[in-house]
Amino acid sequence: MTRQIPVTQIDPSTGTSNKKKKGETVELYASRKKIYVKEVKGFYQKIRTISLWALMGMYFLFCWVTIDGQPLVYFDLPAREFHLFGGTFFPQDFILLSGMLIIAAFGLFFVTTLFGRVWCGYTCPQTVWTFIFMWVEERIEGSRNKRMKLDKSPRSREKLIKKALKHAVWLLIAFATGLTFVGYFYPVQELSVDLFTLNANGWAYFWVGFFTIATYMNAGWLREQVCLYMCPYARFQSVMFDQDTRTVSYDASRGEPRGGRKKGVAPEELGLGDCIDCGLCVQVCPTGIDIRDGLQYECIGCALCIDACDDVMEKMAYPKGLIRYATENELEGMPSKLLRPRTFGYGAALVVMIGAIIFTLMTRSPAELDVLRDRGALFKYNGRGMVENSYTVKIANLSQVRQTFELSVSGLETARLLNNKNINVDVGENLEVPTVVEVDPEAITQSNNTITFTIESISGEPLTIETESRFVGPERR
Ligand code: SF4
Ligand code: SF4
């Protein structure tokens, strides 16, 4: 027998749910209704505020900060260098960057398995910027009720000023966001001057404009629509949930049957649960849903409904936690497990990946050497009667300083380099130099010989790197 998945329709304007009745057709298209989010204070809102301002601060500051003349975070695409927290990475280090992204992904899976969508609620850029835009809106247009009243009111000077001011501040924040973003790819000090003196290149104007408009639209206009319809993570994160994932939940066994009552009346007297059906949990919800309808993909896990409900419970002198972080098992009166195969799996993958990255970083050589033998000619005799082979030596300087390397060759008696013995390589440079090795034909016992090229740093920290190549000579009879 097939089981039908229950569908719940939510009216975002009121936050109330319309449960589908048997045989009723569900309209899949819903026109957008504006959500007026009520500001709320409380424990989780405090944590969110700290986290959101801290992340915002990091975003706006990191491109300006330098350590020993190197930017803290900077992606120098023309030079193919990536500066991250004091380290410089090159395209050769792509594996490291991939590893870091994998760690971030597993970190996200691990946390989601334990606490649901904390990423969405506390750290996602869409949440961070929407939060700041709403904060500005509240300061300029006032509380939820005042904003609803203002929108319904006829055109007036006051309305025009408030709306114009709000959009001007939004655009200013969006512009600062766009400029900062481009500042991670274009020296931000130069960019902030070049942009206003019309000396920046066309792409800089394009990308600053693009990110300004994207920020303004996403955080100012689209808001919850991004989470509901555009974000892929919202759609697949539920596969990381299980009955022991701690998510923002309404304790229906304690709250139902819901109903209004006067303060001081015990719920049992009226045959009711603890939910007074005040609707505050819906009014504070940035996606306009009713958490009392159970876990929904629209819930971004911001926990604002917990703060709102705890405040109500306090006023009613009921215990807090009618809405709280709880697991499905806990709500059903069963024991919950923090550690389970899923958390072990993600945790183990995370530990292994972090270990591998630390090991790679610690053993990462500050230079790389590669030698390619010129395949165009097997060998030739020079004017001194010596046998010559030509090579291209490639040296990559992965350190933070310019280096001078001494190149030498060994492995065949009398082998010596004819040129390019001392090679200067700039930071991040991947230098190719042609070189020639000559060997006395008397020392050659076979046609194909192994020789070793060595570079030794003579300008910085002691460093020696060797690599093997072939030396081809005449056949001995
Ligand atoms: S805030 Fe709490 S009491 Fe008010 S409707 Fe929501 S769950 Fe019920
Ligand atoms: S239901 Fe609660 S936790 Fe979920 S998005 Fe709405 S306010 Fe945030």
Side-chain angles (χ1 to χ4, degrees), residues 293-311:
D293 290 324
L295 185 64
Q296 296 146 72
Y297 83 86
E298 293 95 335
C299 174
I300 59 168
C302 65
L304 295 183
C305 51
I306 299 185
D307 283 336
C309 191
D310 276 351
D311 200 29

Side-chain angles (χ1 to χ4, degrees), residues 412-431:
L412 253 182
E413 227 177 281
T414 73
R416 71 181 189 103
L417 287 166
L418 295 186
N419 57 350
N420 284 325
K421 289 177 191 163
N422 286 342
I423 303 166
N424 296 315
V425 192
D426 279 329
V427 177
E429 193 179 12
N430 207 341
L431 191 69

Side-chain angles (χ1 to χ4, degrees), residues 140-421:
I140 295 173
E141 291 186 1
S143 65
R144 179 177 188 263
N145 288 344
K146 284 187 182 158
R147 292 199 306 275
M148 288 164 86
K149 217 165 130 197
L150 185 72
D151 280 359
K152 279 195 195 129
S153 68
R155 267 188 228 155
S156 66
R157 195 164 165 269
E158 190 205 347
K159 184 172 179 176
L160 192 73
I161 292 173
K162 281 188 174 171
K163 293 280 173 195
L165 185 62
K166 177 181 83 174
H167 287 282
V169 178
W170 279 1
L171 276 168
L172 204 67
I173 298 170
F175 173 72
T177 306
L179 186 143
T180 306
F181 189 86
V182 177
Y184 283 101
F185 299 87
Y186 187 122
V188 71
Q189 292 85 351
E190 287 172 34
L191 178 69
S192 5
V193 176
D194 291 355
L195 218 55
F196 295 105
T197 53
L198 304 183
N199 286 322
N201 73 43
W203 284 112
Y205 286 105
F206 172 80
W207 287 115
V208 171
F210 177 85
F211 284 105
T212 301
I213 293 169
T215 308
Y216 173 69
M217 291 306 295
N218 283 347
W221 293 90
L222 294 173
R223 294 188 174 176
E224 81 290 346
Q225 301 290 300
V226 175
C227 310
L228 301 189
Y229 301 112
M230 293 157 75
C231 175
Y233 179 59
R235 301 281 162 167
F236 73 75
Q237 47 92 35
S238 57
V239 299
M240 292 165 231
F241 285 20
D242 58 24
Q243 286 90 338
D244 289 308
T245 301
R246 211 157 273 279
T247 57
V248 176
S249 313
Y250 166 70
D251 189 345
S253 63
R254 184 186 141 190
E256 300 295 318
R258 64 186 80 160
R261 73 213 64 172
K262 286 205 178 96
K263 193 178 166 188
V265 179
E268 309 82 51
E269 285 176 30
L270 303 167
L272 293 171
D274 282 359
C275 174
I276 65 165
D277 208 12
C278 62
L280 273 180
C281 51
V282 181
Q283 291 174 22
V284 300
C285 177
T287 61
I289 59 166
D290 188 341
I291 190 67
R292 294 173 296 171
D293 290 324
L295 185 64
Q296 296 146 72
Y297 83 86
E298 293 95 335
C299 174
I300 59 168
C302 65
L304 295 183
C305 51
I306 299 185
D307 283 336
C309 191
D310 276 351
D311 200 29
V312 174
M313 293 294 110
E314 204 173 359
K315 282 183 185 143
M316 295 296 294
Y318 295 168
K320 289 182 181 179
L322 177 57
I323 302 177
R324 62 181 186 274
Y325 277 102
T327 69
E328 213 179 305
N329 277 340
E330 183 187 321
L331 292 174
E332 284 169 11
M334 301 202 294
S336 280
K337 281 184 255 149
L338 183 68
L339 300 175
R340 44 205 198 272
R342 196 182 281 248
T343 42
F344 272 121
Y346 288 136
L350 202 57
V351 169
V352 169
M353 284 303 300
I354 292 173
I357 288 279
I358 291 174
F359 178 78
T360 314
L361 278 172
M362 292 186 77
T363 54
R364 180 175 176 250
S365 170
E368 281 179 4
L369 169 68
D370 197 14
V371 176
L372 295 179
R373 197 180 158 277
D374 180 3
R375 295 181 190 274
L378 279 180
F379 63 90
K380 70 175 187 185
Y381 287 96
N382 63 22
R384 291 185 297 279
M386 300 290 183
V387 178
E388 277 186 11
N389 276 202
S390 302
Y391 302 85
T392 300
V393 174
K394 292 183 178 181
I395 304 175
N397 180 2
L398 308 181
S399 73
Q400 309 291 324
V401 289
R402 187 173 196 256
Q403 299 216 56
T404 302
F405 294 101
E406 187 177 50
L407 180 66
S408 60
V409 68
S410 59
L412 253 182
E413 227 177 281
T414 73
R416 71 181 189 103
L417 287 166
L418 295 186
N419 57 350
N420 284 325
K421 289 177 191 163

Side-chain angles (χ1 to χ4, degrees), residues 6-185:
V7 176
T8 302
Q9 286 178 303
I10 303 296
D11 180 346
S13 61
T14 60
T16 53
S17 64
N18 307 313
K19 287 236 165 70
K20 182 181 170 257
K21 295 182 190 75
K22 209 174 173 192
E24 187 186 336
T25 311
V26 174
E27 178 59 67
L28 292 179
Y29 174 76
S31 59
R32 185 182 178 193
K33 295 201 175 134
K34 189 166 175 182
I35 299 170
Y36 293 89
V37 179
K38 187 178 168 65
E39 208 175 56
V40 63
K41 289 192 170 59
F43 177 73
Y44 293 103
Q45 177 65 341
K46 216 175 264 173
I47 296 179
R48 265 181 106 233
T49 307
I50 293 169
S51 147
L52 300 178
W53 283 116
L55 287 168
M56 183 80 79
M58 282 190 247
Y59 173 78
F60 282 112
L61 274 183
F62 277 6
C63 60
W64 292 91
V65 179
T66 53
I67 297 177
D68 297 334
Q70 295 283 352
L72 193 62
V73 180
Y74 183 61
F75 303 95
D76 189 346
L77 296 182
R80 296 185 185 153
E81 287 174 21
F82 309 106
H83 301 275
L84 286 177
F85 305 106
T88 303
F89 300 91
F90 305 94
Q92 296 91 320
D93 297 314
F94 185 74
I95 187 81
L96 274 175
L97 293 177
S98 318
M100 287 176 197
L101 289 177
I102 295 172
I103 287 177
F106 273 101
L108 187 60
F109 299 160
F110 182 67
V111 171
T112 305
T113 307
L114 289 175
F115 303 111
R117 292 174 67 179
V118 280
W119 158 263
C120 300
Y122 295 81
T123 51
C124 168
Q126 176 63 23
T127 303
V128 174
W129 264 263
T130 303
F131 165 85
I132 188 94
F133 272 49
M134 282 182 176
W135 185 84
V136 168
E137 193 171 55
E138 178 101 11
R139 303 283 102 50
I140 295 173
E141 291 186 1
S143 65
R144 179 177 188 263
N145 288 344
K146 284 187 182 158
R147 292 199 306 275
M148 288 164 86
K149 217 165 130 197
L150 185 72
D151 280 359
K152 279 195 195 129
S153 68
R155 267 188 228 155
S156 66
R157 195 164 165 269
E158 190 205 347
K159 184 172 179 176
L160 192 73
I161 292 173
K162 281 188 174 171
K163 293 280 173 195
L165 185 62
K166 177 181 83 174
H167 287 282
V169 178
W170 279 1
L171 276 168
L172 204 67
I173 298 170
F175 173 72
T177 306
L179 186 143
T180 306
F181 189 86
V182 177
Y184 283 101
F185 299 87

